Amino acid sequence: MPQPLISLRGVRKSFGSQKVLDGLDLDVERGETLVVLGPSGTGKSVLLKLIAGLLAPDAGQVLFDLPLRGPEDPPRIGFLFQGAALFDSLTVEENVTFALRRFSSRSRDELRAVAEERLAWVGLKGVLDKKPAQLSGGMRKRVGLARAIATDPPILLYDEPTTGLDPIMSDAINQLIVGIQRRTHATAVAVTHDMASAYKIGDRLALIYGGRLVASAEPAAFRELKDPMVQQFIHGRAEGPIQLM
Amino acid sequence: MLERLARAGHSFVDEAGQLAGFTWSLLGESWALLKSRAALRLDGRLILEQMEEMGVKSLPVVLLTALFTGMVLALQASDSLEKILKGVSQFMGRTVALPFLRELGPVLTALIVTGRVGSAIAAEIGTMRVTEQIDALETLGAKPLRTLGAPRLIAAVVMLPALTVIAMVLGLLGGWVVAVATVGLSSLTYFGDIPQMVTLADLWKGLGKAPAFGLIIAAVACQEGFRAHGGAEGVGRATTKAVVTASILILVADYFLTAVFRTLF
């Protein structure tokens, strides 16, 4: 049986007295897109930052079935942040090629060509020389996506990819994520509380609550799970075992 | 009461330790940036941009402040000298030059740069922190301290002495304007009096403080920016704290540097 690409084993993370993850066990199989669901404040973004190495777990382990990364190797994780997190002082081209400039010896023209190509993948043209402030929310998100995939990382992380977007743009972003997965075969973890997005992009859905994994299943099976927390979350009911935070 | 004092003391020691540790790391990253050709190729442009931001764009306010402080100093000196002994305004050159070269030039410049640039550094890095841009830097394989902190530290350590020299010159010129236009001294008397008491050592005593002040401004502002949290309010808090802390540290460091330089020169 193949090893999962990402394994979280007994991961605990607290901020002061607030326990966010409490012994979380979670596997992400190679090539799948796992969507992690959960109400606000349940540590979904913290989970992504632990996988990305931006935070260290208080206990437990985050394991990768990948060769060790050398200092000259490009990052192995592409991260689409909730607000895109584009660098305000750089142009779109400089944002997209930021990691490439550090980890490859490509010429300026080659870098520009890569930026153009990745921006075309996310449906953007003629924005190379613009600054992030000149872009709409949806465009910023797409530039963030182009930046995340610029170095062809084997792992992609999406933090609330559709938050703050209108339904049409949300659907467009969902389609882009599916298209990028087909094109790159990357292993992806997306966190969201948008069920439409989850069904569209996820090969498997997982619900976390109280710092632990409640359930996980493929989308069709997830819908049919009898777990009251899963049903409460899917149907968006305020009453039920999941308490409002 | 004692318990509160002990807690404040503990907190002060803790903060001082954190700042010392951060400054040490920042110095290490700055050195790593300067000695690596590859790193300079990537982030060298940022050093020049920061030098322009700190040096060139701070010039007007430094010029004006130094000029008028020199003028005020000359006016006050004229009054004081005349009170001590009639006709001793001829010593105005040294009276303006000595405090300006040793103290006012470096300290005024540092305080102005703290207000103008230290606040901007803390606000910019703080905004990057709360909008996850610093997390993005890390995921893209960059070291935030090297990419954001080191160019600012290098620029501050280089530009503070340059601005200080300009402030010293403008201060002396401000004094000269008053000496000639108000007190009626000749230019020769004013400038000729300066070397009678002021030596090159006095210039070094003042100029030697400037890089240290640059280090304080950059380190404190970067640290507060990196520690910012809690959205716009957090960025505001970080900015205020950066300016207040750096200003106080500059004045404290000024005392100790003066004491050290007195024994050296």
Side-chain angles (χ1 to χ4, degrees):
Chain A
M1 190 163 164
Q3 284 269 48
L5 187 72
I6 308 168
S7 295
L8 285 90
R9 293 278 168 267
V11 170
R12 293 175 196 276
K13 185 71 190 173
S14 301
F15 295 97
S17 59
Q18 192 193 355
K19 209 179 271 182
V20 179
L21 296 177
D22 189 16
L24 178 72
D25 291 310
L26 189 67
D27 288 335
V28 189
E29 305 299 333
R30 199 174 291 271
E32 78 167 342
T33 297
L34 173 73
V35 175
V36 178
L37 301 159
S40 301
T42 46
K44 302 191 298 297
S45 296
V46 170
L47 169 66
L48 287 190
K49 289 187 176 178
L50 286 164
I51 295 173
L54 294 170
L55 293 174
D58 298 335
Q61 286 179 304
V62 182
L63 304 166
F64 298 92
D65 185 27
L66 285 170
L68 279 177
R69 180 184 166 223
E72 305 300 320
D73 298 333
R76 299 182 303 185
I77 294 177
F79 201 132
L80 175 61
F81 289 88
Q82 194 172 341
L86 300 181
F87 306 128
D88 299 324
S89 57
L90 303 184
T91 64
V92 167
E93 181 192 344
E94 289 167 330
N95 265 284
V96 173
T97 58
F98 189 90
L100 278 178
R101 273 185 283 141
R102 289 183 136 65
F103 297 98
S104 77
S105 51
R106 293 174 208 217
S107 68
R108 193 171 285 188
D109 288 343
E110 287 170 328
L111 289 171
R112 197 168 172 87
V114 173
E116 261 175 348
E117 181 198 50
R118 299 304 152 109
L119 287 167
W121 286 13
V122 299
L124 286 175
K125 268 187 182 171
V127 295
L128 279 174
D129 299 317
K130 286 193 186 327
K131 288 281 183 79
Q134 296 171 280
L135 305 175
S136 68
M139 290 165 93
R140 289 168 68 92
K141 213 85 164 195
R142 284 187 281 168
V143 173
L145 193 50
R147 184 177 68 180
I149 58 175
T151 53
D152 299 314
I155 297 170
L156 288 169
L157 305 176
Y158 303 103
D159 189 2
E160 306 278 5
T162 56
T163 295
L165 302 177
D166 65 71
I168 295 168
M169 182 53 75
S170 294
D171 194 50
I173 295 286
N174 290 334
Q175 282 182 19
L176 284 174
I177 290 173
V178 172
I180 283 166
Q181 209 283 333
R182 283 196 191 123
R183 202 189 281 259
T184 63
H185 305 292
T187 303
V189 182
V191 304
T192 185
H193 42 234
D194 174 355
M195 288 309 299
S197 175
Y199 288 133
K200 186 138 195 169
I201 66 176
D203 297 317
R204 191 159 59 94
L205 313 186
L207 177 69
I208 59 170
Y209 180 67
R212 287 168 175 267
L213 179 68
V214 174
S216 86
E218 290 178 4
F222 191 83
R223 264 187 238 259
E224 304 306 322
L225 288 175
K226 296 284 181 262
D227 188 292
M229 287 193 195
V230 173
Q231 287 305 315
Q232 183 192 355
F233 193 82
I234 288 175
H235 295 104
R237 287 193 292 259
E239 290 81 25
I242 295 176
Q243 304 291 311
L244 293 176
M245 303 195 87
Chain B
M1 178 71 184
L2 270 176
E3 194 182 323
R4 202 179 291 173
L5 268 174
R7 238 194 333 254
H10 186 266
S11 162
F12 174 78
V13 170
D14 190 40
E15 285 278 316
Q18 282 184 32
L19 179 61
F22 180 84
T23 306
W24 183 249
S25 306
L26 191 53
L27 283 167
E29 289 299 338
S30 303
W31 176 242
L33 172 60
L34 286 174
K35 75 174 184 181
S36 158
R37 191 176 286 184
L40 268 180
R41 183 176 59 84
L42 284 167
D43 296 325
R45 191 188 71 176
L46 298 174
I47 299 176
L48 295 178
E49 282 174 8
Q50 288 301 320
M51 285 170 85
E52 187 194 358
E53 188 62 41
M54 288 183 197
V56 180
K57 293 187 180 170
S58 295
L59 256 183
V61 63
V62 169
L63 291 179
L64 278 174
T65 310
L67 184 75
F68 280 97
T69 307
M71 290 169 74
V72 169
L73 195 60
L75 275 180
Q76 296 286 8
S78 158
D79 289 349
S80 306
L81 289 170
E82 287 300 321
K83 270 183 193 163
I84 295 166
L85 194 60
K86 221 60 184 150
V88 291
S89 288
Q90 62 194 15
F91 299 130
M92 191 181 284
R94 71 183 71 177
T95 316
V96 173
L98 207 58
F100 229 99
L101 296 190
R102 283 188 183 178
E103 292 298 332
L104 285 174
V107 173
L108 265 182
T109 307
L111 292 177
I112 291 163
V113 173
T114 300
R116 212 193 79 79
V117 179
S119 57
I121 291 174
E124 189 179 355
I125 296 180
T127 303
M128 290 185 77
R129 167 62 78 200
V130 300
T131 56
E132 297 185 310
Q133 290 179 54
I134 291 176
D135 287 341
L137 273 177
E138 283 193 58
T139 62
L140 293 166
K143 292 181 175 178
L145 208 52
R146 186 178 302 177
T147 308
L148 299 175
R152 287 166 171 83
L153 180 87
I154 296 164
V157 169
V158 172
M159 293 318 287
L160 251 285
L163 286 171
T164 300
V165 169
I166 294 167
M168 287 171 172
V169 172
L170 261 290
L172 296 185
L173 287 178
W176 167 71
V177 169
V178 170
V180 173
T182 311
V183 184
L185 290 184
S186 72
S187 299
L188 191 66
T189 310
Y190 177 80
F191 286 115
D193 182 50
I194 294 175
Q196 299 303 317
M197 194 164 172
V198 179
T199 63
L200 209 55
D202 292 311
L203 176 68
W204 294 128
K205 281 177 187 170
L207 210 49
K209 296 172 182 175
F213 293 162
L215 176 76
I216 290 171
I217 295 167
V220 170
C222 288
Q223 188 198 30
E224 291 305 331
F226 277 111
R227 291 202 300 198
H229 60 92
E233 195 187 347
V235 175
R237 260 198 314 268
T239 308
T240 306
K241 199 170 171 199
V243 173
V244 172
T245 308
S247 302
I248 291 170
L249 283 181
I250 284 166
L251 296 173
V252 172
D254 183 43
Y255 171 78
F256 288 105
L257 288 170
T258 303
V260 170
F261 289 159
R262 264 163 57 104
T263 61
L264 289 180
F265 301 109

